[in-house]
Amino acid sequence: MSAPVVMKFGGSSVATAERLRHVAELVRAQGSPEILVVLSALGGVTDALFACGRLAATREQAASLTQLKELMERHRDVGRELFGPNLPRKVEAFIDASEKELSEILCGASLLGALPERSLDLLVGRGELLSSLLLAAYLEVPWIDARVVLRTDSHFGQARPLPDEIRSLALRELLPKIEAGGICVTQGYIGADASGAPTTLGRGGSDFSASLLGAALRAAEIQIWTDVEGVLTCDPRIVPEARPVEQLGYDEAAELAAFGAKVLHPATILPAVELDIPVTVRNSLLPDGRYTVISRSGASGRPVTALASRGPVSVLTVKSARMLGGSGFLARIFEVFGRQGVSVDLVSTSEVSVSITVEANAPLEDLARELSAFAEVRVERERAVVALVGEQLRRTAGVAGMAFGALRDLNVEMISMGANEINLSLVVRREDAPEALRRLHRAFFGPESGLNSKRGAA
Ligand code: ADP
Ligand code: ASP
Ligand code: MG
């Protein structure tokens, strides 16, 4: 048996019948004898399913059912473009059954004025089942229900995968079918808990699915096919001149994903690392173009490989004269965060104060109340983290100086070097983040940048 290749296609690659046909061609042209295709929902479908759910939960039953009907019709239209007026029986039956089942959920939610998380996962995970069935039927290959393999806990909406169980289920349910058929098609984003209840891995989770299944199958490669030429030096929607990064180390890629590079779900790299499986990020619109290889030996060797940003976040600054020379102060602060169940993101300390960033939805009032019992507390909302990531960051003098020079009058409110020393994070006002990225990109990747060009940026 040769190791299979996992090919994951995102919603951007499968928005229309034409794009699906193109994906089918890419799969056929892959050349590997064994392929697992992991598919996202057709572009925009997951958002639309969430919108149906929100309408139902606010008792807008008619509007939610109309939207659902339109969505199902979109799948029938794509099917008709692929197969002609008569859809394959299995496809037609599944779309009909989905419409019925999801309508019932939406009606129930409209009556209740609420949509339980468990039902929400069933609803929003349907896009992947529909798109993958269309592709499997078009390719005439087996369609695998990922819920049979991708075992998770019952944390609906953000389920945590159970890798050991996924491995044994993949060996039992998936590998024999791939070995027999060559190509199989399954879904990203969805799984099921031990009771069989459908779960989802959180938004953008199809990348994570691909890598979990790739690890379980001991794949030769995990390919993430999207609509850009791999991981770029910055988000191209903010910095249009961003350019592809040819190679990245696992740490660099994980850091970029964690700091907001939407091209990869933050957990994508984890399953691949231990098994040393290369992850490539490729453009389905330009399959012969450039792409990124992420691997153990692939560290870029650059001081700054790429930039990313994440927000909004809030900054809590806790100040007390007692911190000066005192011990146990930080422990007391973190204990409050622990008790409130808030995960601490960036931390930066001075002699008498500590600044901590938290997600915007953290219980800021509760935290501030508890902390103000023993310290002065300042809360700043609407901030963003801008991160510079690079494998040689720690060994290169002057990166921080260059960053500050580039940002000029943009106020940096907090600065933090990641513990693994490959990221330098700056906190700025949220509205300043795009301009901060543009200025940093010009400084580190622009034609006049001395730092990266010395090392030959891609
Ligand atoms: P898919 O539907 O294939 O999962 P996503 O929309 O989730 O695609 O991710 C791809 C998008 O991520 C790109 O179109 C791009 O706009 C955005 N993006 C943000 N940061 C980066 C980056 N550093 N490199 C590449 N793309 C990025
Ligand atoms: N379709 C899901 C989403 O839109 C998962 C994914 O595309 O990765 O979030
Ligand atoms: Mg994505």
Side-chain angles (χ1 to χ4, degrees), residues 279-395:
V279 177
T280 56
V281 183
R282 298 161 183 265
N283 187 350
S284 65
L285 298 158
L286 280 174
D288 299 321
R290 290 182 287 182
Y291 60 96
T292 304
V293 181
I294 304 164
S295 64
R296 187 177 287 169
S297 56
S300 68
R302 291 192 210 130
V304 180
T305 313
L307 310 173
S309 89
R310 178 159 53 78
V313 299
S314 301
V315 181
L316 276 144
T317 301
V318 188
K319 197 168 164 193
S320 168
R322 267 181 291 162
M323 196 170 156
L324 200 62
S327 63
F329 187 71
L330 283 179
R332 247 182 118 179
I333 293 176
F334 289 126
E335 206 239 311
V336 171
F337 282 81
R339 210 171 31 247
Q340 292 284 345
V342 176
S343 67
V344 167
D345 187 14
L346 303 180
V347 181
S348 157
T349 57
S350 79
E351 285 287 294
V352 292
S353 71
V354 49
S355 295
I356 293 166
T357 64
V358 294
E359 294 296 320
N361 60 5
L364 291 170
E365 278 78 26
D366 295 344
L367 286 167
R369 190 171 9 84
E370 282 207 44
L371 293 165
S372 55
F374 58 92
E376 213 178 288
V377 184
R378 196 175 69 229
V379 178
E380 280 136 337
R381 296 166 209 263
E382 293 294 309
R383 299 300 191 264
V385 180
V386 170
L388 293 81
V389 175
E391 192 250 342
Q392 288 292 322
L393 196 69
R394 65 183 150 227
R395 296 204 191 92

Side-chain angles (χ1 to χ4, degrees), residues 120 130 186 190 438:
L120 182 63
L130 289 159
T186 192
I190 63 170
R438 284 190 283 270

Side-chain angles (χ1 to χ4, degrees), residues 52 87 115 165 178 180 259 264 274 276 278 299 356 392 406 413:
C52 288
L87 303 188
L115 183 55
E165 301 190 30
I178 299 177
F259 278 89
L264 284 180
E274 217 170 283
D276 204 3
I356 293 166
Q392 288 292 322
E413 301 185 349

Side-chain angles (χ1 to χ4, degrees), residues 11-87:
S12 54
S13 297
V14 292
T16 60
E18 191 196 338
R19 305 285 308 130
L20 266 178
R21 235 183 253 124
H22 180 68
V23 162
E25 277 163 31
L26 282 177
V27 172
R28 290 255 182 247
Q30 166 52 231
S32 167
E34 289 168 6
I35 297 170
L36 177 66
V37 179
V38 176
L39 214 62
S40 290
L42 304 185
V45 166
T46 313
D47 283 340
L49 287 166
F50 271 102
C52 288
R54 272 193 303 274
L55 283 169
T58 50
R59 299 184 193 274
E60 306 256 8
Q61 180 173 332
S64 82
L65 290 177
T66 308
Q67 279 212 19
L68 179 71
K69 215 174 175 37
E70 282 168 12
L71 259 183
M72 294 301 148
E73 211 37 47
R74 176 173 165 198
H75 288 90
R76 289 191 189 94
D77 282 344
V78 168
R80 283 189 279 265
E81 277 187 59
L82 291 176
F83 305 105
N86 297 320
L87 303 188

Side-chain angles (χ1 to χ4, degrees), residues 208-230:
F208 192 20
S209 301
S211 140
L212 287 162
L213 294 171
L217 294 169
R218 306 293 190 252
E221 182 183 338
I222 297 160
Q223 302 180 346
I224 308 289
W225 290 85
T226 181
D227 60 352
V228 284
E229 280 180 289

Side-chain angles (χ1 to χ4, degrees), residues 134-150:
L134 284 163
L135 183 70
Y138 185 71
L139 280 166
E140 298 181 356
V141 301
W143 176 63
I144 313 282
D145 187 335
R147 296 170 298 183
V148 174
V149 181
L150 210 128

